[in-house]
């Protein structure tokens, strides 16, 4: 049960009661943020998922919002007296926000979004305090919250976008973005998957549309972007995303070593201890398995073993004849429905990634589910050619 929601002294407080506990969710928001219980209810759906069969929300929300949250959570919502519909005028909202953690993928996503894109970061404190130490140096709208400490991050991964809903009207948002990459989901490997298929009910019901700028790229490529354009941030970002020696930290460090081959100049990286025992097992993690093929080809088996142990011989026999160069290229299917704000993307130069992946006139016509996702349609002033390589992309950073 959620009751007596209030916003005072920059803190949104949402008291709740369950069978075994009573506590309060808190979010630190801008001083001039305006409380809208419709948006609060919609934001809560990113934390609740479908865990509950009944949700008591004592504050008033509109019938439209009630229908939306019931649809998303697949639960009955018992709410306060009906109120007028929330002020949702998408035609008057046109800004974009990136849910920004400061990791490799969100850094690369920031580089591909318009300069005026808002950054929204969640400060969870505790064991995640290292993230804030890095993203605090960026112009982020930082929301300090305790919902992860209270276990509300276990019901759906969409909790990372709760800030986009809470700040929707404050930042005039129409579009939200994550640093989601190709291997983040098995569904992304579906040949028919296009940007138009990427819908998340929690945010759709809040009148927001999604555009993930690096979803057509692999983690190999996001590492290449960082080393090409912000190499001084690479090791600081690495330290913020995972503890040294962990599986995630090791994977990211291996990716930096692989990507350093394409860096425009010398790159100083921490060494990899190949004598340590394997941290993962092949066949247990999609992203690690997927990346292990490329890392095996580029770095060698002694490095890949740290990530997944021994790759089965029959798998190695299948990948040995392959070039695997698609790890360094763009899957243009995911850019077939680039939203209007792409007109404001960083000025393209030559045949850089900003041209190839984000320029609306260049990629709006890519048919979904094409058999050759590396094919690139003709762009004004640019002759058709092979799929763009991230190694030669041309990006700028604010």
């Amino acid at each position: 049960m959620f009751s007596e929601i209030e916003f005072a002294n920059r803190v949104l407080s949402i008291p709740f009661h369950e069978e075994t506990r009573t506590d309060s969710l808190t979010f630190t928001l801008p001083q001039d943020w305006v409380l809208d219980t419709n948006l609060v209810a919609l934001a809560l759906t990113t934390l609740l998922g479908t865990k509950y069969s009944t949700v008591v929300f004592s504050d008033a929300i509109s019938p439209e919002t009630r229908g939306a949250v019931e649809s998303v959570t697949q639960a009955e919502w018992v709410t306060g007296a009906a109120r007028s519909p929330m002020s949702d005028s998408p035609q008057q909202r046109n800004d974009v926000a990136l849910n920004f953690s400061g990791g490799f993928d969100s850094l690369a996503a920031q580089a591909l979004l318009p300069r005026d894109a808002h950054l929204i970061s969640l400060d969870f404190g505790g064991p995640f305090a290292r993230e804030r130490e890095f993203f605090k140096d960026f112009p982020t709208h930082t929301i300090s919250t305790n919902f992860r400490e209270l276990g509300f991050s276990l019901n759906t991964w969409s909790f990372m976008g709760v800030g986009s809903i809470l700040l929707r009207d404050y930042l005039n948002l129409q579009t939200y973005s994550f640093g989601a990459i190709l291997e983040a989901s098995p569904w992304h490997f579906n040949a028919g998957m296009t940007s138009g298929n990427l819908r998340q009910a929690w945010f759709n019901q809040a009148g927001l549309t999604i555009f993930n700028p690096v979803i057509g790229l692999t983690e190999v490529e996001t590492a290449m972007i960082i080393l090409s354009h912000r190499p001084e941030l690479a090791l600081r970002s690495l330290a913020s995303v995972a503890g040294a020696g962990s599986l995630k930290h090791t994977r990211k460090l291996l990716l930096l070593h692989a990507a350093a081959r394409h860096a425009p100049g010398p790159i100083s990286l921490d060494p990899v201890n190949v004598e340590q025992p394997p941290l993962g097992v092949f066949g247990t993690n999609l992203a690690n398995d997927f990346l292990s093929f490329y890392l095996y080809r580029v770095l060698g088996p002694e490095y890949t073993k740290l990530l997944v142990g021994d790759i089965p011989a029959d798998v190695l026999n299948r990948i040995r004849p392959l070039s695997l160069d698609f790890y360094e290229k763009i899957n243009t299917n995911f850019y077939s429905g680039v939203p209007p704000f792409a007109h404001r993307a960083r000025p393209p130069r030559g045949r850089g990634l900003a041209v190839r992946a984000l320029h609306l006139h260049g990629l709006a016509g890519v048919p979904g589910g094409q058999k050759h996702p590396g094919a690139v349609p003709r762009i004004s002033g640019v002759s058709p050619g092979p799929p763009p390589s991230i190694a030669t992309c041309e990006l700028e950073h604010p």
Side-chain angles (χ1 to χ4, degrees), residues 339-359:
F341 71 74
H343 282 299
R344 309 199 308 272
R346 301 156 199 270
R349 295 180 297 163
R351 292 174 60 177
L353 182 59
V355 176
R356 295 294 198 158
L358 292 179
H359 198 264

Side-chain angles (χ1 to χ4, degrees), residues 190-391:
N190 184 335
M193 180 66 73
T194 69
S195 57
N197 301 131
L198 301 175
R199 297 185 178 89
Q200 294 181 309
W202 298 272
F203 307 100
N204 296 340
Q205 296 289 5
L208 294 168
T209 56
I210 188 170
F211 176 68
N212 291 334
V214 294
I215 199 168
L217 313 181
T218 67
E219 284 184 89
V220 174
E221 296 162 300
T222 56
M224 291 164 75
I225 289 175
I226 294 169
L227 291 186
S228 293
H229 305 285
R230 297 304 303 274
E232 74 280 6
L233 297 179
L235 292 181
R236 286 189 60 209
S237 174
L238 176 62
S240 77
V241 299
S246 67
L247 178 58
K248 184 174 182 179
H249 186 279
T250 300
R251 183 180 80 236
K252 296 290 188 179
L253 181 57
L254 290 173
L255 288 167
L256 287 178
H257 278 272
R261 302 178 310 138
H262 300 290
I267 299 292
S268 177
L269 297 173
D270 294 337
V272 178
N273 177 16
V274 296
E275 301 300 325
Q276 64 180 314
L279 298 170
V281 178
F282 187 84
T284 60
N285 181 281
L286 171 64
N288 290 338
D289 291 352
F290 173 73
L291 293 168
S292 70
F293 305 148
Y294 178 86
L295 294 173
Y296 184 94
R297 172 65 54 79
V298 173
L299 298 180
E302 66 273 25
Y303 292 91
T304 307
K305 191 170 185 176
L306 299 176
L307 194 61
V308 296
D310 293 320
I311 301 176
D314 61 329
V315 175
L316 289 177
N317 290 335
R318 288 175 179 269
I319 66 173
R320 282 192 178 106
L322 306 177
S323 71
L324 301 184
D325 60 351
F326 72 90
Y327 280 82
E328 302 172 2
K329 295 182 179 180
I330 300 167
N331 183 333
T332 57
N333 279 11
F334 290 103
Y335 304 98
S336 61
V338 179
F341 71 74
H343 282 299
R344 309 199 308 272
R346 301 156 199 270
R349 295 180 297 163
R351 292 174 60 177
L353 182 59
V355 176
R356 295 294 198 158
L358 292 179
H359 198 264
L360 180 64
H361 293 298
L363 292 174
V366 178
Q370 60 186 23
K371 293 183 179 179
H372 304 287
V376 179
R378 184 174 183 84
I379 302 174
S380 178
V382 179
S383 300
S389 168
I390 304 300

Side-chain angles (χ1 to χ4, degrees), residues 165-216:
I165 297 179
L166 289 174
L167 297 181
R168 188 200 68 180
D169 292 348
Y170 181 80
L171 297 178
N172 192 39
L173 300 181
Q174 175 57 37
T175 304
Y176 69 101
S177 299
F178 290 104
I181 36 76
L182 182 67
E183 63 267 27
S185 169
W187 296 107
H188 296 169
F189 292 87
N190 184 335
M193 180 66 73
T194 69
S195 57
N197 301 131
L198 301 175
R199 297 185 178 89
Q200 294 181 309
W202 298 272
F203 307 100
N204 296 340
Q205 296 289 5
L208 294 168
T209 56
I210 188 170
F211 176 68
N212 291 334
V214 294
I215 199 168

Side-chain angles (χ1 to χ4, degrees), residues 6-180:
E6 65 176 9
F7 178 65
N9 299 319
R10 297 190 60 215
V11 177
L12 171 64
S13 178
I14 310 175
F16 70 89
H17 172 73
E18 294 180 307
E19 290 183 2
T20 58
R21 62 174 178 168
T22 297
D23 214 315
S24 184
L25 289 166
T26 58
F27 300 85
T28 301
L29 298 166
Q31 185 68 46
D32 53 345
W33 181 81
V34 177
L35 174 61
D36 182 334
T37 53
N38 285 301
L39 280 181
V40 171
L42 288 165
L44 285 174
T45 66
T46 68
L47 310 184
L48 302 179
T50 57
K51 177 181 179 180
Y52 303 92
S53 58
T54 302
V55 177
V56 177
F57 188 87
S58 64
D59 287 81
I61 58 177
S62 71
E64 291 80 7
T65 298
R66 178 178 174 180
V69 296
E70 288 187 334
S71 173
V72 171
T73 59
Q74 300 177 31
E76 177 188 6
W77 280 59
V78 180
T79 68
R83 50 165 285 190
S84 59
M86 62 178 175
S87 56
D88 181 13
S89 303
Q91 68 276 10
Q92 298 174 10
R93 295 186 280 107
N94 53 25
D95 280 17
V96 58
L98 171 65
N99 296 288
F100 183 79
S101 68
F104 289 6
D105 305 329
S106 59
L107 276 176
Q110 184 205 15
L112 296 179
L113 288 171
R115 294 180 184 278
D116 58 357
H118 302 285
L119 303 181
I120 300 176
S121 299
L122 298 178
D123 177 13
F124 298 116
F128 302 96
R130 62 175 180 265
E131 295 180 352
R132 182 186 176 91
E133 287 305 304
F134 182 62
F135 66 61
K136 67 180 176 60
D137 294 332
F138 291 78
T140 69
H141 298 273
T142 300
I143 300 175
S144 298
T145 178
N146 65 346
F147 74 74
R148 197 160 192 171
E149 175 187 343
L150 294 173
F152 282 97
S153 62
L154 303 177
N155 302 322
T156 166
W157 271 106
S158 291
F159 72 82
M160 291 299 295
V162 64
S164 292
I165 297 179
L166 289 174
L167 297 181
R168 188 200 68 180
D169 292 348
Y170 181 80
L171 297 178
N172 192 39
L173 300 181
Q174 175 57 37
T175 304
Y176 69 101
S177 299
F178 290 104

